[in-house]
Amino acid sequence: MVALTDAEKAMLDGESGAATQKAMELLIRYADALGAERFVETNNVAGVPGSAPQWVKDYYKADGGDYRAVFSRFDLDSDEVVDVPRMNAFSCHLQGGMDPMLWQEQGMTEDAHANFVSDEAEVAAHGIQILKTCTPYLAGNVPVMGEHCAWMESSAVVFANSVIGARTNCEGRESTSAAMLAKRIPDWGFHTDDFRKGQHSVDVRVPVDSIFEWGMLGYFVGDAVQDTIPVISGNISEASLIRHKHFGAAAASSGGVEMYHMVGITPEAPSVEQAFGGAARGDVFIYDQAARKRIYETLNSVGTSEDVDFVMLGCPHASIEQIAQVAALIDGRKVHVNSALWVFTSRAVKATADANGYTKILRDAGAYLMTDTCSAISQAVPKGTRVAAMDSAKQTHYLPAMMGIEGWYGTTAECIDAACTGKWKGKLA
Amino acid sequence: MSTVLDKPRAILTGRGIVPGVAEGEALVTRDTISGWGGINPMSGTVIESRHELRGQSFAGKVLVFPGAKGSSGWSSIFHMSKLRGASPIAMVFNIMTTKAALGAVVMRTPTVTECDQDPLDVIRTGDWVRVDGDAGTITIWDHKPD
């Protein structure tokens, strides 16, 4: 049984209100399931609190069918409906269901949009920041090394643990919503030193020096180590924010990687010895030319037709550096009449893209810069899409399976070419 | 339930992490399962490309699997499958993760983990399985006892 401090007992006894009491009840059930012995305090929580499609609200019709009902019954898994106050922790809303302006282009209905507007007003009224992105660290929430967080979004979690050295498990909707009220999360997993040690080695023997290559290596690593912690060394270079972003997202999708060490690159891995921290060194996985080719073929195994009718970029949400690159690649060109190009980012980054004129360059080319969501999250693709092209291993992993379409993985430049010609010409150099 | 024919083939002991008792037909996989993007919560069907259960539904079954992977939406998608009446009635898994633990808790499906034998070796798809989340036991028959 998880041990409670006096402050936690007081919350459980209802001294901080009914909603926080319900939050503690859920967190205790969760901590006991994990086998956690105590809670850790957190003041950095990111989730998707209370937002729900209409059918979920309808399910709780007898409870009022509103934000309060969904937050109580679904998010806090409470048997009764309670009043939901402003959140106690610094709380952020991750990605949402549609672009606030371009929702009609995304194929959303008036009713769905009205529900979206209503949920967003509730989120703001409860003191939750409207970041609406899978990349909170690009939109105003950058944790520091050692900070205990409670984050959802596997790609953000792996970034926070690995690149920043913050401490978070891959939390879920219900645990983050509860943590926003109780400011507690089970002290288990990545909150503890021992859990953060490397378990297996990955030896990189081919040059991994671009976002395309980092993405493929990430997909290989996740497939190889599943949900364990890899220690990656060898021929990997040109580290940058966007490369880590694509590597981690891919590794979290093909496996369940929530933290990785890159020797000499990430903060908890100055050396191989420190990355393993005295723990047993498991298997050694070799990433060589054959492995690279196999990963490329795996990612492209759901593509047969070369007639690309949709190009999706921005998974995880594009940084301003990536949007600048897309604008440079497409400036003066036009998206082909048989194709479409949607680029996804956060509202914060789009504000910069607007100021720089990138949004207009994309629009003049027939492309859209969209915010809040992505094709996989909102199952939104242009009507009639059969074949999509992507520069994200993560999106290539999910989108074709979810939408029943074909998919291609390639470089950003290959994707822009496909958008402008309607033909896939990608190949492994 | 007490005839010789009804003698269980095996009984596993582990740690119950969600209380309650449920029994039904087992659906067993050696592939880890993604929640969001890996299953359709409306039908309980596995949709992940190349997954060995692709196209099969765990609705009303005892789901026996190595563990959870993928998106942090695991718990909420399985939670939604519960709202749709398409969730598993019980779960047995090996690898403890926040995803699987939270998903089991909010679905309130009897769940046992950390078993004394690997349930993936002992339980076969189609077996009749009783999961006792209070006692932390899993009882396995070749077919539903008469």
Side-chain angles (χ1 to χ4, degrees), chain A residues 93-356:
Chain A
H93 194 297
L94 297 169
Q95 59 268 40
M98 66 185 72
D99 185 290
M101 315 292 281
L102 299 167
W103 52 274
Q104 284 168 308
E105 283 75 5
Q106 292 177 334
M108 302 299 169
T109 63
E110 297 268 359
D111 286 348
H113 179 250
N115 181 54
F116 160 88
V117 170
S118 160
D119 273 349
E120 186 161 306
E122 291 282 2
V123 168
H126 286 83
I128 301 155
Q129 322 315 316
I130 312 279
L131 299 191
K132 291 284 175 90
T133 179
C134 51
T135 56
Y137 51 88
L138 289 175
N141 183 353
V142 188
V144 294
M145 180 126 182
E147 183 175 357
H148 292 286
C149 304
W151 279 18
M152 282 186 75
E153 174 49 40
S154 61
S155 70
V157 166
V158 68
F159 189 92
N161 279 322
S162 313
V163 184
I164 297 174
R167 298 188 167 211
T168 179
N169 291 309
C170 194
E171 293 297 340
R173 169 174 177 152
E174 300 86 352
S175 59
T176 49
S177 290
M180 288 177 186
L181 288 163
K183 300 180 75 173
R184 297 293 189 284
I185 204 74
D187 186 11
W188 185 87
F190 290 103
H191 295 288
T192 66
D193 290 338
D194 277 352
F195 204 88
R196 301 173 71 84
K197 293 174 178 173
Q199 293 163 280
H200 299 292
S201 301
V202 177
D203 182 3
V204 180
R205 294 187 180 170
V206 287
V208 173
D209 54 6
S210 67
I211 192 167
F212 169 74
E213 300 288 349
W214 276 62
M216 287 206 295
L217 177 61
Y219 205 71
F220 168 82
V221 168
D223 186 51
V225 307
Q226 288 295 304
D227 64 340
T228 62
I229 303 175
V231 176
I232 302 143
S233 57
N235 199 352
I236 183 161
S237 60
E238 310 283 328
S240 69
L241 187 149
I242 59 175
R243 289 171 188 154
H244 279 294
K245 173 166 78 80
H246 277 236
F247 174 93
S253 303
S254 59
V257 175
E258 295 171 14
M259 181 168 185
Y260 59 86
H261 296 292
M262 283 185 185
V263 178
I265 295 176
T266 56
E268 292 174 54
S271 67
V272 172
E273 287 69 30
Q274 281 159 298
F276 281 103
R281 300 186 189 188
D283 299 327
V284 179
F285 298 95
I286 309 290
Y287 186 68
D288 55 11
Q289 208 54 260
R292 175 174 174 264
K293 184 164 181 287
R294 179 172 62 78
I295 287 297
Y296 182 82
E297 286 169 357
T298 301
L299 281 165
N300 283 298
S301 64
V302 287
T304 50
S305 169
E306 290 174 358
D307 295 322
V308 171
D309 40 30
F310 177 46
V311 176
M312 187 280 182
L313 306 178
C315 169
H317 276 170
S319 73
I320 193 63
E321 180 187 2
Q322 290 176 289
I323 296 170
Q325 188 198 2
V326 169
L329 285 166
I330 206 161
D331 196 7
R333 302 170 77 183
K334 290 278 183 200
V335 174
H336 194 267
V337 64
N338 295 336
S339 193
L341 171 61
W342 293 0
V343 183
F344 291 88
T345 190
S346 63
R347 296 187 198 182
V349 169
K350 180 168 179 288
T352 307
D354 291 348
N356 274 87

Side-chain angles (χ1 to χ4, degrees), chain B residues 50-70:
Chain B
R50 302 183 298 276
H51 197 285
E52 69 171 341
L53 292 186
R54 185 169 190 195
Q56 294 189 60
S57 172
F58 49 65
K61 303 271 177 73
V62 175
L63 183 60
V64 183
F65 63 115
K69 72 165 177 182

Side-chain angles (χ1 to χ4, degrees), chain B residues 18-40:
Chain B
V18 178
V21 182
E23 64 177 67
E25 206 177 297
L27 181 64
V28 185
T29 177
R30 286 194 174 269
D31 288 351
T32 49
I33 295 180
S34 279
W36 180 90
I39 67 161
N40 178 348

